[in-house]
Amino acid sequence: MSDRRALVISAHSADFVWRCGGAIALHQARGVEVTVVCLSYGERGESAKLWKQEGMTLEKVKAAREEEARNAAAALGVRDIRFFDLGDYPLELDRAAKDRLVDVIREVQPAFILTHSKYDPYNTDHMYACEVTLECRMIAQAWGHNPGEKVLGAPQVYLFEPHQTEQMGWKPDVFLDISEVWDRKRAAIECMQGQEHLWDYYTNVAENRGNHFRRNSGGQSGGRNATHAEGFQSIFPRTVDEL
Amino acid sequence: MSDRRALVISAHSADFVWRCGGAIALHQARGVEVTVVCLSYGERGESAKLWKQEGMTLEKVKAAREEEARNAAAALGVRDIRFFDLGDYPLELDRAAKDRLVDVIREVQPAFILTHSKYDPYNTDHMYACEVTLECRMIAQAWGHNPGEKVLGAPQVYLFEPHQTEQMGWKPDVFLDISEVWDRKRAAIECMQGQEHLWDYYTNVAENRGNHFRRNSGGQSGGRNATHAEGFQSIFPRTVDEL
Amino acid sequence: MSDRRALVISAHSADFVWRCGGAIALHQARGVEVTVVCLSYGERGESAKLWKQEGMTLEKVKAAREEEARNAAAALGVRDIRFFDLGDYPLELDRAAKDRLVDVIREVQPAFILTHSKYDPYNTDHMYACEVTLECRMIAQAWGHNPGEKVLGAPQVYLFEPHQTEQMGWKPDVFLDISEVWDRKRAAIECMQGQEHLWDYYTNVAENRGNHFRRNSGGQSGGRNATHAEGFQSIFPRTVDEL
Amino acid sequence: MSDRRALVISAHSADFVWRCGGAIALHQARGVEVTVVCLSYGERGESAKLWKQEGMTLEKVKAAREEEARNAAAALGVRDIRFFDLGDYPLELDRAAKDRLVDVIREVQPAFILTHSKYDPYNTDHMYACEVTLECRMIAQAWGHNPGEKVLGAPQVYLFEPHQTEQMGWKPDVFLDISEVWDRKRAAIECMQGQEHLWDYYTNVAENRGNHFRRNSGGQSGGRNATHAEGFQSIFPRTVDEL
Amino acid sequence: MSDRRALVISAHSADFVWRCGGAIALHQARGVEVTVVCLSYGERGESAKLWKQEGMTLEKVKAAREEEARNAAAALGVRDIRFFDLGDYPLELDRAAKDRLVDVIREVQPAFILTHSKYDPYNTDHMYACEVTLECRMIAQAWGHNPGEKVLGAPQVYLFEPHQTEQMGWKPDVFLDISEVWDRKRAAIECMQGQEHLWDYYTNVAENRGNHFRRNSGGQSGGRNATHAEGFQSIFPRTVDEL
Amino acid sequence: MSDRRALVISAHSADFVWRCGGAIALHQARGVEVTVVCLSYGERGESAKLWKQEGMTLEKVKAAREEEARNAAAALGVRDIRFFDLGDYPLELDRAAKDRLVDVIREVQPAFILTHSKYDPYNTDHMYACEVTLECRMIAQAWGHNPGEKVLGAPQVYLFEPHQTEQMGWKPDVFLDISEVWDRKRAAIECMQGQEHLWDYYTNVAENRGNHFRRNSGGQSGGRNATHAEGFQSIFPRTVDEL
């Protein structure tokens, strides 16, 4: 059992599944507890299928989205998922909401944080989530913020894969082999009943990232035979003992 | 003892000392054999002090530079240094010279390669060395190049620190703790009699990169107390089992 | 008559004239109704000439600017210009103002939107207008925003030409031939009594963009003989049936 | 029947299939004659499977690769494919080879050219092909090059999709709907017997680019139901009559 | 005596010392009055050493930080330092605070402004200070802001050196020789009792920037023998009479 | 009389006129001797009008282009113009040609060098001229290149304005007031009989750069009333005594 923990900051309640479900399942399987924070349910902007149903209300959408997210989290082995219910399209965090996020960061003391890309002209909630993550990470590092609490170290922030990567200027610098937990990720994906049009899309992504893993680990001359992978972009430099 | 090997491709015969002497000494100390290729001696462009001496000739400069480089390599624990003597300012590799470099790459089968930054308006030899390294890495991966030889896998290419990093668009994504071998790097630096004006410069760099290591490994909340470090920029994404 | 419509989002009340007056006149001439939203009058920051007059007040400046803008819009054939009067230097939109803009976007259902560049260190209102446009476009696409309303598709957002293009990192990827409506654009420009120092500037721009149109459409080997043009930078990829 | 023609410049003999087979088939189907130039066979660097066979020689590899390429071209409806046989890993064009390419460009007088991305640290042949294309396009536009010949206009250069797009800094600005010719592209792909490991990879790519086409043409509010697409990055600005 | 004045906008009360203490001392020594605005004390986020003391309170930290900053300012020859006390981690300026900053800008009418880099993922206060500076500079240029006041011209904004320059995308385009005032800068640095771990760091920076000054002013062929320097990145183009 | 000298490296024989004719005339007027090197005549690629004449030959084109360039140089006050006659479209320098350029650089010992932009997809000769300039500057700085000669210091390299600046990624960081020599630049422009279609284009450019000069020197609050200007992008950082 590891005593490392990890934190996922997801703008909407389904993002963590598509974008880093494999990383979550893999780390959980290795004893790294992963906390997932869903800042909103994506209830206004990412629930088209639900809204097309007769008699739909905001509360019903949120309930349905929460249930899907809880099911997906369970499929990934997550024991700690939290819904901040801050609204979407646009997502906005006032000072209290930010402090709440800082509290979670300090409580979890994550070895690394996973969140959205820096730029996204299609979805400004996504880039806002990244911006807020960096701000709250900084506050969690401040000795004068709630003095006496354990101050945060310097966890890496990994940006998970956005939709249409090239438009977001997102460039992965690390590929994670998720072959052994692919079944769990696919199961979690299938919990997302409202976004069935994305199931095969993200399956294709995982397969093609598997190709990238194989190629970058040696290709036909010694590459590892990963079938599925996920890519991430690091914000901060790594510190190592050996290259 | 590791069976990993590493390869340094240095445009001029002193570059490997300033830019990755710590990485070399550290890996040698851990049983990773490091091969250093000096494409030229830097005899025309990086030997001002020698040229100011009476009666200097190109051959004398080259001999002096080679001796300095051999001494520095020894100080770092290197057992395999090779001088291609291709000329500098400008450095140029014809097909035969490239094939010779490919041969070394295939012979060494490095786990990683260290070379110069992608851009350098002050020193076009440096960026040319990077360009040639990528080309030769590609050729070494070709199954149809000298069929029957062991084909290269996909070693990382780390770009070591140039002078005036910001002007070169060089951004380190990994810091290596070289505290335990700093004495060796300083000793190697002091072998460079012709460039004494750079001794303190690169000592300052190593100290300040130590600060960056401490900051990025946790700072005042758990950072490692590295005194000296080196920074590197990766060209290719990493493949990992865990974040 | 086309049933396509277009929307211009202008930070200050004169921007639409200098930056896309030709595009407006051309599309109006072809039956594409163009709606112009002026978020502010530019009353504080872009009315120096008026403020140099004795006894000037904010209300007088706004009235004068509105009149100029209405005259210019008429010269371009615009039938629908709206003044949000949100203040300038700085321009700020609260949630209600953003909702108002979303309402217009949904009402117009534009085939494309024209607005400011992403970066402008001289004029933060300009880049803010771009940021707000992307956010409001996203909200207009949300099925849960005012459920029952017609949801927005995926209109292109074209960034029109800023002053000092290179400083703004603005790079046009499309040139529009406005030769046939140049007279109207010049007439609209001359409605801007308070900024006479810019008349010739933007005439020069239109002529030189005409040169770029000719060059990029074939130059001396088949290029079209456009006399005036406007340039735009697209935010989103195009979807086509043929290259 | 169109009198437009198009030109594909492919570094190795399979690139045109994976990267723009759909565009080729679609334009051929519409009467746009597409000429494909294969600068090399990819005989050394992209034929690992062949080289693993007993008794293989360079000539046999080239013959096998040419046959595969001819079959694929036929499947796409191409009537004009030319093999320059200039060698690969590395690909190099001397002045005579460049003149030969200029001759083809002038002969074809393409409405547009398709070639590789500007940057590729994995495969320097690819970026070299792009560089050469721009140089030869420029020469083809020179009135003093073979005076009396028809001088080239200003055809767009589209960069087709590289492997690992984000590492190449490639950003598509246009998506082409290839749904109606997908079967032909898949048939052409299956002609590439030596690279079966890429068949599903590029099928996934085509499906996911179909998703991007749908999203960018309107998504759930009016997007076109494309099943497969290809993406391209334009080098030059477009010249248009209407936005 | 010059009648030029300068303005430093410092997010936290120590930034002006590390990042532009030399520029301040040098200009003061030449009769250019420099006004320093400290937007916050850095009391929460940059005072770890103080917070580790028993019985520390926010007010005590602020008092200690103000004293250090006043001492440092005095060491640099500054006569005008102002503390806005707006809070840090995060720093936030409401409209009133921005107006206060605009008032200072107009009062000082600086020939140039010094502030933080555009990007800083470690410290969002820093990039926010840059953003606010550009916004307030724009407002100070507005003829309709407090009509009757002297309107601001177009002062250069120099971005001073951040920590870990490469991570911030900061690229210096000007090096200032601070050799003659280095003793004053070091004295000011030593006033920062709470951040002793940075004394040698910024001494190393100044020495190495001295090397860059020598190299860029001519190196071994005529370079000036500067021992210490500071680097700055300009936001706006310069206007000159001679190259 | 200044003892500063300057050097212009022009890919084709007309570039120096459009792109830095004002800078040349201004410095000549102030006693700075400017040497102009024309690497080619632009005889193949930039002489369309001549080639459309009956019976034209390469030698006639070169003679005509040389005469135009000599006339333009005279109009600008240049006493030292040199024609390397290396061919264009493409321009290529072998080692001997580069050595010849190094010789000129060392002879002139320029305080600054003017040449083309780093990138130009329309005209690869232009970016090649920039690349060669940096390489030859480096060689001229080498103490071991022709030992005994006076070694070059560290002259700034200014990139002059390309056609279609935004497509070239060219960003001016300095504007030079050329109002007092505008008449001479216009006279030089009119010497270019073969490219009359560019006369007004570059007049518009000079006027609009004048606007940029006024704006950046203070605008309506103290800006200098320049009527014409030229923009330049610096490659290297400046070294200064005062900001």
Side-chain angles (χ1 to χ4, degrees):
Chain A
M1 278 296 290
S2 165
D3 60 350
R4 295 173 83 217
R5 296 181 64 180
L7 178 63
V8 179
I9 299 175
S10 182
H12 313 105
S13 61
D15 287 319
F16 75 90
V17 182
W18 320 112
R19 311 194 186 295
C20 62
I24 293 171
L26 187 72
H27 285 86
Q28 280 290 159
R30 300 192 176 181
V32 179
E33 281 296 322
V34 182
T35 296
V36 176
V37 172
C38 295
L39 297 173
S40 81
Y41 293 104
E43 63 270 21
R44 286 164 36 104
E46 308 201 338
S47 307
K49 194 175 162 190
L50 289 167
W51 284 109
K52 291 175 184 174
Q53 296 172 19
E54 196 82 15
M56 190 49 59
T57 67
L58 201 64
E59 288 315 306
K60 285 188 198 167
V61 172
K62 292 206 274 190
R65 295 278 293 179
E66 181 169 334
E67 191 188 355
E68 286 183 2
R70 288 198 182 279
N71 291 342
L76 298 171
V78 168
R79 280 183 283 250
D80 184 14
I81 182 166
R82 309 185 191 190
F83 298 94
F84 275 31
D85 192 12
L86 296 168
D88 73 322
Y89 283 58
L91 171 67
E92 289 177 328
L93 276 78
D94 59 15
R95 179 62 80 101
K98 287 178 183 174
D99 280 347
R100 189 173 162 202
L101 186 56
V102 172
D103 287 347
V104 175
I105 294 174
R106 284 207 165 164
E107 175 196 338
V108 171
Q109 294 281 335
F112 59 89
I113 297 173
L114 291 157
T115 194
H116 293 266
S117 64
K118 279 191 277 191
Y119 181 63
D120 191 335
Y122 293 85
N123 193 315
T124 59
D125 286 2
H126 287 171
M127 55 183 169
Y128 180 70
C130 179
E131 188 183 318
V132 165
T133 296
L134 292 177
E135 182 182 327
C136 291
R137 177 184 183 272
M138 173 189 78
I139 298 172
Q141 291 174 326
W143 288 73
H145 177 80
N146 295 346
E149 287 186 2
K150 179 165 165 43
V151 170
L152 184 70
Q156 181 59 275
V157 175
Y158 292 111
L159 309 182
F160 44 54
E161 178 156 347
H163 193 252
Q164 298 194 61
T165 58
E166 304 94 356
Q167 307 302 323
M168 317 315 179
W170 177 85
K171 182 185 171 187
D173 55 57
V174 54
F175 289 114
L176 179 70
D177 182 355
I178 61 163
S179 306
E180 72 186 71
V181 294
W182 168 247
D183 288 349
R184 295 192 204 178
K185 178 163 181 177
R186 177 72 196 193
I189 283 176
E190 293 185 8
C191 296
M192 300 292 114
Q193 293 294 326
Q195 289 164 293
E196 199 171 340
H197 62 292
L198 292 177
W199 294 7
D200 287 350
Y201 182 86
Y202 282 104
T203 299
N204 285 350
V205 166
E207 289 173 5
N208 283 12
R209 293 301 177 194
N211 171 290
H212 298 174
F213 190 105
R214 294 192 297 277
R215 180 75 63 103
N216 284 291
S217 63
Q220 302 202 33
S221 302
R224 170 126 53 108
N225 197 23
T227 58
H228 296 80
E230 285 177 345
F232 301 95
Q233 178 180 336
S234 312
I235 288 282
F236 300 102
R238 292 182 298 137
T239 52
V240 302
D241 289 319
E242 195 167 337
L243 294 176
Chain B
M1 278 296 291
S2 166
D3 61 350
R4 295 174 83 219
R5 296 181 65 180
L7 178 63
V8 179
I9 299 175
S10 182
H12 314 105
S13 60
D15 286 319
F16 74 91
V17 182
W18 320 113
R19 311 197 185 294
C20 62
I24 293 171
L26 187 72
H27 285 85
Q28 280 290 158
R30 300 193 176 181
V32 179
E33 280 296 321
V34 182
T35 296
V36 176
V37 171
C38 295
L39 298 173
S40 80
Y41 292 104
E43 63 270 20
R44 287 164 34 105
E46 308 200 339
S47 307
K49 193 174 164 190
L50 289 166
W51 284 109
K52 291 175 183 173
Q53 296 172 18
E54 197 81 15
M56 190 50 58
T57 66
L58 201 63
E59 288 315 307
K60 285 188 196 168
V61 172
K62 292 206 273 191
R65 293 280 291 179
E66 180 170 333
E67 191 188 354
E68 285 183 3
R70 287 196 183 280
N71 292 342
L76 298 171
V78 168
R79 278 183 284 249
D80 184 16
I81 182 167
R82 308 185 191 188
F83 298 93
F84 275 30
D85 192 12
L86 296 167
D88 72 322
Y89 283 58
L91 171 67
E92 288 177 328
L93 276 77
D94 58 15
R95 179 62 80 99
K98 287 177 183 174
D99 279 347
R100 189 175 163 200
L101 186 56
V102 172
D103 287 347
V104 175
I105 294 174
R106 284 208 165 166
E107 174 197 338
V108 171
Q109 293 282 335
F112 58 89
I113 297 173
L114 291 157
T115 193
H116 294 266
S117 64
K118 279 191 278 190
Y119 181 64
D120 190 334
Y122 292 86
N123 194 315
T124 59
D125 286 2
H126 287 170
M127 55 184 169
Y128 180 70
C130 179
E131 189 183 318
V132 165
T133 296
L134 292 177
E135 183 183 327
C136 290
R137 178 185 183 270
M138 174 189 77
I139 298 172
Q141 292 173 327
W143 287 74
H145 177 80
N146 296 345
E149 286 187 3
K150 181 165 164 43
V151 170
L152 184 70
Q156 181 59 275
V157 175
Y158 292 111
L159 310 181
F160 45 54
E161 178 156 347
H163 193 252
Q164 297 195 65
T165 60
E166 303 94 356
Q167 307 302 323
M168 316 315 177
W170 178 86
K171 180 185 172 187
D173 55 56
V174 54
F175 289 114
L176 178 71
D177 182 354
I178 62 163
S179 305
E180 71 185 71
V181 294
W182 168 248
D183 288 349
R184 295 191 206 178
K185 178 164 181 177
R186 178 72 196 194
I189 282 176
E190 293 185 8
C191 296
M192 300 291 113
Q193 294 294 326
Q195 290 165 292
E196 199 171 341
H197 63 292
L198 292 176
W199 294 8
D200 287 350
Y201 182 87
Y202 282 104
T203 299
N204 285 350
V205 166
E207 289 173 6
N208 283 13
R209 293 299 177 194
N211 171 291
H212 297 175
F213 190 104
R214 294 192 298 277
R215 180 74 64 104
N216 283 292
S217 63
Q220 302 202 32
S221 303
R224 170 125 55 107
N225 197 20
T227 58
H228 297 79
E230 285 177 346
F232 300 95
Q233 177 179 335
S234 312
I235 287 282
F236 300 102
R238 293 183 298 138
T239 52
V240 302
D241 289 317
E242 195 168 336
L243 294 177
Chain C
M1 278 296 292
S2 166
D3 60 350
R4 295 174 83 218
R5 297 180 63 180
L7 177 63
V8 179
I9 299 176
S10 182
H12 313 105
S13 61
D15 286 319
F16 75 91
V17 182
W18 320 112
R19 311 194 186 294
C20 61
I24 294 171
L26 187 71
H27 286 85
Q28 281 289 159
R30 299 191 178 184
V32 179
E33 280 297 321
V34 182
T35 296
V36 176
V37 171
C38 296
L39 297 173
S40 80
Y41 293 105
E43 63 271 20
R44 287 164 35 104
E46 308 202 338
S47 306
K49 194 174 163 189
L50 289 166
W51 284 108
K52 290 177 183 170
Q53 296 173 19
E54 196 81 17
M56 191 49 58
T57 66
L58 201 63
E59 288 316 306
K60 285 188 199 167
V61 172
K62 292 206 272 191
R65 295 278 293 178
E66 180 169 333
E67 192 188 353
E68 285 182 3
R70 287 196 183 281
N71 292 342
L76 298 171
V78 169
R79 279 183 284 248
D80 184 16
I81 182 166
R82 308 184 192 190
F83 299 93
F84 275 31
D85 192 13
L86 296 167
D88 72 323
Y89 281 60
L91 171 67
E92 289 177 328
L93 275 78
D94 59 16
R95 179 61 81 100
K98 287 178 183 174
D99 280 347
R100 190 174 163 200
L101 186 56
V102 172
D103 287 346
V104 175
I105 294 174
R106 283 207 166 165
E107 174 196 338
V108 171
Q109 294 282 334
F112 59 88
I113 298 174
L114 292 157
T115 193
H116 293 267
S117 65
K118 280 192 277 191
Y119 181 64
D120 191 334
Y122 292 86
N123 193 314
T124 59
D125 286 2
H126 286 170
M127 53 183 171
Y128 180 70
C130 179
E131 189 183 318
V132 164
T133 296
L134 292 177
E135 182 182 328
C136 291
R137 178 184 182 271
M138 174 188 78
I139 299 171
Q141 291 174 327
W143 288 74
H145 178 80
N146 296 345
E149 287 187 2
K150 179 164 165 43
V151 170
L152 184 69
Q156 181 59 274
V157 175
Y158 291 111
L159 310 181
F160 44 54
E161 179 157 347
H163 193 251
Q164 296 194 63
T165 59
E166 304 93 357
Q167 307 302 322
M168 316 315 179
W170 176 86
K171 181 185 171 187
D173 55 57
V174 54
F175 290 114
L176 178 71
D177 182 355
I178 61 164
S179 306
E180 72 185 71
V181 295
W182 167 248
D183 289 349
R184 296 193 204 176
K185 178 164 181 176
R186 178 71 196 193
I189 283 175
E190 294 186 7
C191 295
M192 299 291 114
Q193 293 294 326
Q195 290 165 293
E196 199 172 340
H197 62 292
L198 293 176
W199 294 8
D200 287 350
Y201 182 86
Y202 283 104
T203 299
N204 285 350
V205 166
E207 289 173 4
N208 282 13
R209 295 299 177 194
N211 171 290
H212 297 175
F213 190 104
R214 294 192 297 277
R215 180 75 63 105
N216 284 292
S217 64
Q220 303 202 32
S221 303
R224 170 126 53 110
N225 198 22
T227 58
H228 297 79
E230 285 177 344
F232 300 95
Q233 178 179 335
S234 312
I235 287 282
F236 300 102
R238 292 182 298 137
T239 52
V240 301
D241 290 318
E242 195 168 337
L243 294 177
Chain D
M1 278 296 292
S2 166
D3 61 349
R4 294 174 84 219
R5 296 182 64 181
L7 178 63
V8 178
I9 299 176
S10 182
H12 313 106
S13 61
D15 286 320
F16 75 91
V17 182
W18 321 112
R19 311 196 184 294
C20 61
I24 293 171
L26 188 71
H27 285 84
Q28 280 290 159
R30 300 191 177 183
V32 179
E33 280 297 321
V34 182
T35 296
V36 175
V37 171
C38 296
L39 297 173
S40 80
Y41 293 104
E43 63 271 21
R44 286 164 36 105
E46 308 201 338
S47 307
K49 193 174 163 190
L50 289 167
W51 284 108
K52 291 176 184 172
Q53 296 173 19
E54 197 81 15
M56 190 50 58
T57 66
L58 201 63
E59 288 315 307
K60 285 188 198 168
V61 172
K62 292 206 272 191
R65 294 279 293 178
E66 180 169 334
E67 192 189 353
E68 284 183 4
R70 287 196 184 281
N71 291 342
L76 299 171
V78 168
R79 279 182 284 248
D80 185 15
I81 181 166
R82 309 185 191 188
F83 298 93
F84 274 32
D85 192 13
L86 296 167
D88 72 323
Y89 282 58
L91 171 67
E92 289 177 328
L93 276 77
D94 58 16
R95 180 62 81 101
K98 287 178 183 173
D99 280 347
R100 191 174 161 199
L101 186 55
V102 172
D103 287 345
V104 176
I105 294 174
R106 284 208 166 165
E107 175 197 337
V108 172
Q109 293 282 335
F112 58 89
I113 299 173
L114 291 157
T115 194
H116 293 266
S117 64
K118 278 191 278 190
Y119 181 64
D120 191 334
Y122 292 86
N123 194 315
T124 58
D125 286 1
H126 287 171
M127 55 184 169
Y128 180 70
C130 180
E131 189 183 318
V132 165
T133 296
L134 293 177
E135 183 182 327
C136 291
R137 178 185 183 270
M138 173 189 78
I139 298 171
Q141 291 173 327
W143 288 73
H145 177 81
N146 295 345
E149 287 186 3
K150 179 163 166 45
V151 170
L152 184 70
Q156 181 59 275
V157 175
Y158 291 111
L159 310 181
F160 44 55
E161 178 157 347
H163 193 252
Q164 296 194 65
T165 58
E166 303 94 356
Q167 306 303 322
M168 316 314 177
W170 177 85
K171 181 184 172 187
D173 56 55
V174 54
F175 290 114
L176 179 70
D177 182 355
I178 61 163
S179 307
E180 72 186 71
V181 294
W182 168 247
D183 288 350
R184 294 191 205 178
K185 178 164 181 177
R186 177 71 196 194
I189 283 176
E190 294 185 8
C191 296
M192 300 290 114
Q193 293 294 326
Q195 290 165 292
E196 199 171 340
H197 63 291
L198 292 176
W199 294 7
D200 287 350
Y201 182 86
Y202 282 105
T203 299
N204 284 350
V205 166
E207 288 173 6
N208 282 13
R209 294 300 177 194
N211 171 290
H212 298 174
F213 190 104
R214 295 192 296 278
R215 180 75 64 101
N216 284 292
S217 63
Q220 301 201 34
S221 303
R224 169 126 55 107
N225 196 23
T227 59
H228 297 79
E230 285 178 344
F232 300 95
Q233 177 179 336
S234 312
I235 287 282
F236 300 101
R238 292 183 297 137
T239 52
V240 302
D241 289 317
E242 194 166 339
L243 294 177
Chain E
M1 278 297 289
S2 167
D3 61 351
R4 295 174 82 219
R5 296 181 64 180
L7 177 62
V8 179
I9 300 176
S10 183
H12 313 106
S13 61
D15 286 320
F16 74 90
V17 182
W18 320 112
R19 311 194 186 295
C20 63
I24 293 171
L26 187 72
H27 286 85
Q28 281 289 159
R30 298 191 177 183
V32 179
E33 280 297 322
V34 182
T35 296
V36 176
V37 171
C38 295
L39 297 173
S40 81
Y41 292 104
E43 62 271 20
R44 285 164 36 104
E46 309 202 338
S47 305
K49 193 175 164 189
L50 289 167
W51 283 108
K52 291 176 184 172
Q53 296 172 20
E54 197 82 14
M56 190 49 59
T57 66
L58 202 64
E59 288 316 306
K60 285 189 198 166
V61 173
K62 292 206 272 190
R65 295 279 292 179
E66 180 169 335
E67 192 187 353
E68 285 182 4
R70 288 196 182 282
N71 291 343
L76 299 171
V78 169
R79 280 182 283 250
D80 184 15
I81 182 167
R82 308 184 191 190
F83 298 93
F84 274 32
D85 191 13
L86 296 167
D88 72 323
Y89 283 59
L91 171 67
E92 289 177 326
L93 275 78
D94 59 15
R95 179 62 81 99
K98 287 177 183 173
D99 280 347
R100 190 174 162 201
L101 186 55
V102 173
D103 287 347
V104 175
I105 294 173
R106 284 208 166 165
E107 174 196 338
V108 171
Q109 293 282 335
F112 58 89
I113 297 173
L114 291 157
T115 193
H116 293 267
S117 64
K118 278 191 277 190
Y119 181 64
D120 191 335
Y122 293 85
N123 194 314
T124 58
D125 286 2
H126 288 170
M127 54 183 170
Y128 180 71
C130 179
E131 190 183 317
V132 165
T133 296
L134 292 178
E135 182 182 327
C136 291
R137 178 184 183 271
M138 174 190 78
I139 299 171
Q141 291 173 327
W143 287 74
H145 177 80
N146 296 345
E149 286 186 5
K150 180 165 166 41
V151 170
L152 183 70
Q156 180 60 274
V157 174
Y158 292 111
L159 309 181
F160 44 54
E161 178 156 347
H163 192 251
Q164 296 193 63
T165 58
E166 303 94 357
Q167 307 302 322
M168 316 315 178
W170 177 85
K171 181 185 172 187
D173 55 57
V174 54
F175 289 114
L176 178 70
D177 182 355
I178 62 163
S179 306
E180 72 185 72
V181 293
W182 166 248
D183 288 348
R184 295 192 204 179
K185 178 164 181 176
R186 177 73 197 192
I189 282 176
E190 294 185 7
C191 296
M192 299 293 113
Q193 293 293 327
Q195 290 165 292
E196 197 171 341
H197 62 292
L198 292 177
W199 294 8
D200 287 349
Y201 182 87
Y202 282 104
T203 299
N204 285 349
V205 166
E207 288 173 6
N208 283 12
R209 295 300 177 194
N211 171 290
H212 298 175
F213 189 104
R214 294 192 298 277
R215 180 75 63 104
N216 284 292
S217 64
Q220 301 202 33
S221 303
R224 170 127 54 111
N225 197 22
T227 59
H228 297 78
E230 284 177 345
F232 300 95
Q233 178 179 335
S234 312
I235 287 283
F236 300 102
R238 293 183 296 138
T239 52
V240 302
D241 289 319
E242 194 167 336
L243 294 177
Chain F
M1 278 297 292
S2 166
D3 61 350
R4 295 173 83 220
R5 297 181 63 180
L7 177 64
V8 178
I9 300 175
S10 182
H12 313 106
S13 61
D15 286 319
F16 76 90
V17 182
W18 320 113
R19 312 195 184 295
C20 62
I24 293 171
L26 187 71
H27 286 84
Q28 281 289 158
R30 299 190 177 183
V32 179
E33 280 297 321
V34 182
T35 296
V36 176
V37 172
C38 296
L39 298 173
S40 81
Y41 293 104
E43 62 271 21
R44 287 164 34 105
E46 309 202 338
S47 306
K49 193 174 163 189
L50 288 166
W51 284 107
K52 290 177 184 171
Q53 296 173 20
E54 197 81 16
M56 191 49 59
T57 66
L58 202 63
E59 288 316 306
K60 285 188 197 167
V61 172
K62 292 205 274 190
R65 295 279 293 178
E66 179 169 334
E67 192 188 354
E68 285 183 3
R70 287 196 183 281
N71 291 342
L76 298 171
V78 169
R79 279 183 284 249
D80 185 15
I81 182 166
R82 308 185 191 188
F83 299 93
F84 274 31
D85 192 12
L86 296 168
D88 72 323
Y89 283 58
L91 172 66
E92 288 176 328
L93 276 78
D94 59 15
R95 179 63 80 99
K98 287 178 183 174
D99 280 347
R100 190 174 162 200
L101 186 55
V102 173
D103 286 347
V104 175
I105 294 174
R106 284 207 166 165
E107 175 197 336
V108 171
Q109 294 281 336
F112 59 89
I113 298 173
L114 291 157
T115 193
H116 293 266
S117 64
K118 280 192 277 190
Y119 181 64
D120 190 334
Y122 293 85
N123 194 315
T124 59
D125 286 2
H126 287 170
M127 54 183 170
Y128 180 70
C130 179
E131 190 182 317
V132 165
T133 297
L134 293 177
E135 182 182 327
C136 291
R137 178 184 183 271
M138 174 189 78
I139 299 171
Q141 291 174 325
W143 287 73
H145 177 82
N146 295 345
E149 287 186 3
K150 180 165 166 42
V151 170
L152 184 70
Q156 181 59 275
V157 175
Y158 291 110
L159 309 182
F160 44 56
E161 178 156 348
H163 193 252
Q164 297 194 64
T165 58
E166 304 94 356
Q167 307 301 324
M168 315 314 178
W170 177 84
K171 182 184 171 187
D173 56 55
V174 54
F175 290 115
L176 178 71
D177 182 355
I178 61 163
S179 306
E180 72 184 71
V181 294
W182 168 248
D183 288 350
R184 294 192 205 178
K185 178 164 181 177
R186 177 73 196 193
I189 283 175
E190 294 185 9
C191 296
M192 300 291 113
Q193 293 294 326
Q195 290 165 292
E196 199 171 340
H197 62 293
L198 292 176
W199 294 7
D200 287 349
Y201 182 86
Y202 283 104
T203 299
N204 285 350
V205 166
E207 288 173 5
N208 282 13
R209 294 301 177 193
N211 170 292
H212 298 175
F213 189 105
R214 295 192 297 277
R215 180 75 63 103
N216 284 292
S217 64
Q220 302 201 33
S221 302
R224 169 129 53 111
N225 196 23
T227 58
H228 297 79
E230 285 177 345
F232 301 95
Q233 177 179 335
S234 311
I235 288 282
F236 300 101
R238 293 182 297 137
T239 51
V240 302
D241 289 318
E242 195 167 338
L243 294 177

